[in-house]
Amino acid sequence: MMGLSEILSRINDGVFLELIFQENTDWDARLDSRDGIEFASAWSASYEQVLSSCPPEDESIRQVREAAFKKVYQITGNPDLAGYVSDDFGLIVQAFMHQVDSGFIHRLWQAYAQGTFPH
């Protein structure tokens, strides 16, 4: 598992998110696919698992969420996409920090780590 500082460093490295979001993609269609029952249900269940087993978000998690939002918005100009990415990174970091074992959250991180937007 990655630590919070390592994830924040990757967000701010000028390469990690740029490689994912610089491509000419119909981001609204990608967001719509995330609203499908399978992905949305898995995301919500993972969120509930983290919410029920972890303390509330702290400043370090908010810092990661804010950095992800700003970087994706800067790259794409799409506030909805930036919000989804911010939510993803908040979920990922909180799970990693509190050692929540979730296959879905692990796959969510793996998608980003492999240079793709999870959908």
Side-chain angles (χ1 to χ4, degrees):
M1 272 188 202
M2 296 188 73
L4 178 124
S5 62
E6 191 175 354
I7 290 174
L8 188 57
S9 177
R10 288 186 79 176
I11 289 170
N12 290 319
D13 72 3
V15 177
F16 178 62
L17 292 176
E18 287 79 352
L19 290 174
I20 299 169
F21 295 105
Q22 71 182 358
E23 62 187 67
N24 187 14
T25 299
D26 182 352
W27 294 114
D28 291 330
R30 291 274 176 98
L31 293 178
D32 287 345
S33 72
R34 285 179 59 128
D35 290 336
I37 191 79
E38 185 177 334
F39 190 94
S41 293
W43 199 100
S44 294
S46 297
Y47 175 78
E48 290 300 323
Q49 178 186 8
V50 168
L51 191 64
S52 69
S53 62
C54 297
E57 266 187 15
D58 63 16
E59 183 58 34
S60 61
I61 295 170
R62 284 189 288 278
Q63 186 180 20
V64 169
R65 289 174 51 94
E66 181 179 348
F69 181 93
K70 287 179 176 179
K71 184 62 77 172
V72 173
Y73 184 74
Q74 175 189 10
I75 297 165
T76 66
N78 186 324
D80 294 332
L81 178 61
Y84 275 69
V85 174
S86 173
D87 290 347
D88 286 352
F89 275 89
L91 183 64
I92 290 164
V93 169
Q94 193 160 20
F96 284 5
M97 282 178 64
H98 299 286
Q99 300 176 345
V100 175
D101 186 21
S102 166
F104 176 80
I105 295 172
H106 179 72
R107 288 187 301 278
L108 193 67
W109 170 246
Q110 285 304 107
Y112 283 109
Q114 293 172 359
T116 61
F117 176 65
H119 64 284

